[in-house]
Amino acid sequence: MTGLQNLKKNLFGGTTSVGRQFGMIFTLVAIVLLFQALTHGLTLTSGNLIAVVSQYSYILILAVGMLMVIVAGHIDLSVGSVAAFVGIIVAKAMQHFDLPWPVAILLGLACGAVIGAWQGFWVAYVGVPAFIVTLAGMLLFRGGNQFIGNADTVPVPEGFRVIGAGYLPEVGPATGYNNLTLVLGLAACAAVVWREFRARRTRVEMGARPVPLWASGVRLAVMVGVIVFATLRFAGGRVGTSFPVSGIILALLVIGYSFYTRNTVGGRHIYAVGGNSRAAELSGVRLRRVNFLVMTNMSVLAALAGMIFVARSAASGPQDGLSWELDAIAAVFIGGAAVSGGLGTISGSIVGGLVMALLNNGLQLLGVGTDLVQIIKGLVLLLAVALDVYNKSQGRFSVLGSIMRPFQRREPQPEPGPTPVSDRVPSAR
């Protein structure tokens, strides 16, 4: 092993997936530095970073659910329409029936669960490919949004807007920063340090050799430095702003779903189904249940994302949710997931989503038109899938098979029989 390979293994781990994720982190850093230079320092200002989290948190929430769908070997094209459909239902319920906003949020989540169960039923129990089911859902729920809302905007009350346009409140002594954001940053630093040393202790207890202490120190210094920088930026914005409430919701979802996919039986079943559904079923995995749950979960998160967007916009409209599925799918693929399923992480999808968010934001700061932004986003998605196709040609996982797999005809394989006497190799005497 060369010195460069040894350094890469110590700092980033030795697996291909981990290497890809860290490669995307470097890409994210490069994008930030590039736009920081091109915009003369506007990219990393407090106001801009707060705006990025507030504007794109709903896409990152969609990426969390889309990662599980793609890992299981499916695709969901209906998330934008589902988000818009739930958004107009919740807005109408609060406007015409004076429904309290906390109850309206529960109503929206319940609608998302029903929609997800509907689509999951067709995928898991009828056997219709998810690509077709969600394409139909995209048309169905987009039409439902326009039918219920009469193609008009419907405003939402002030209390409801907190989940999309609210910030951590000002508490405690006057420090020049938002104190709750500072506490949040300290907690994040403590969690990073605890996780690193817990991983070292686990390897020692298992009899494995931990990474060198200097490598752990370098990783901790970089991660803690980034967290401290971001904390001071978010906490030092103009008075009345701080870390967005939608960012808190996103962080809780990332922590919860990361734990579920990595540390629970149900999460491992999703990867098993995406890696080889037939082998997983023979191993006792309830294939239909896994497919049903990932589709249902996706629609629930789409409903949540739709409500956050409506809350931030202060109204629900007929154009909500357009092209959200593109951003969510691109975030997952850019973050290292494989189109064929079985490979990808929540954290990788968040990194991919941040790449798309900062790319959007940087181009807007430079005054690039919407048409060119869409062209660039399409090229980024194409390159991400092309990279996966290249990985498949090298004998790794790939993704286009997840879309085309249900349409491919499988010829029955002949049963193995006894080897003809004429084909047997005579034994040496």
Side-chain angles (χ1 to χ4, degrees), residues 190-248:
V192 166
V193 174
W194 175 81
R195 180 180 177 184
E196 179 68 25
F197 282 96
R198 179 174 177 271
R200 291 181 59 86
R201 185 180 63 185
T202 301
R203 290 184 63 86
V204 171
E205 292 174 352
M206 295 176 60
R209 181 181 179 182
V211 299
L213 190 59
W214 66 265
S216 294
V218 170
R219 281 203 299 241
L220 285 177
V222 172
M223 289 188 288
V224 170
V226 171
I227 293 173
V228 170
F229 175 82
T231 299
L232 294 178
R233 289 293 181 176
F234 283 109
R238 62 180 176 82
V239 177
T241 64
S242 58
F243 197 75
V245 172
S246 57
I248 299 293

Side-chain angles (χ1 to χ4, degrees), residues 234-275:
F234 283 109
R238 62 180 176 82
V239 177
T241 64
S242 58
F243 197 75
V245 172
S246 57
I248 299 293
I249 297 173
L250 171 64
L252 293 175
L253 290 174
V254 169
I255 293 171
Y257 278 95
S258 294
F259 178 84
Y260 176 77
T261 54
R262 285 200 313 250
N263 302 103
T264 67
V265 174
R268 304 318 302 173
H269 283 180
I270 296 174
Y271 285 89
V273 169

Side-chain angles (χ1 to χ4, degrees), residues 345-368:
T345 64
I346 299 294
S347 58
S349 297
I350 295 301
V351 172
L354 288 174
V355 168
M356 295 295 292
L358 289 168
L359 185 64
N360 258 327
N361 176 258
L363 292 172
Q364 290 173 2
L365 290 177
L366 292 174
V368 177

Side-chain angles (χ1 to χ4, degrees), residues 385-397:
V385 177
L387 177 62
D388 185 76
V389 172
Y390 172 77
N391 286 337
K392 181 180 179 181
S393 69
Q394 301 301 311
R396 304 169 186 150
F397 287 105

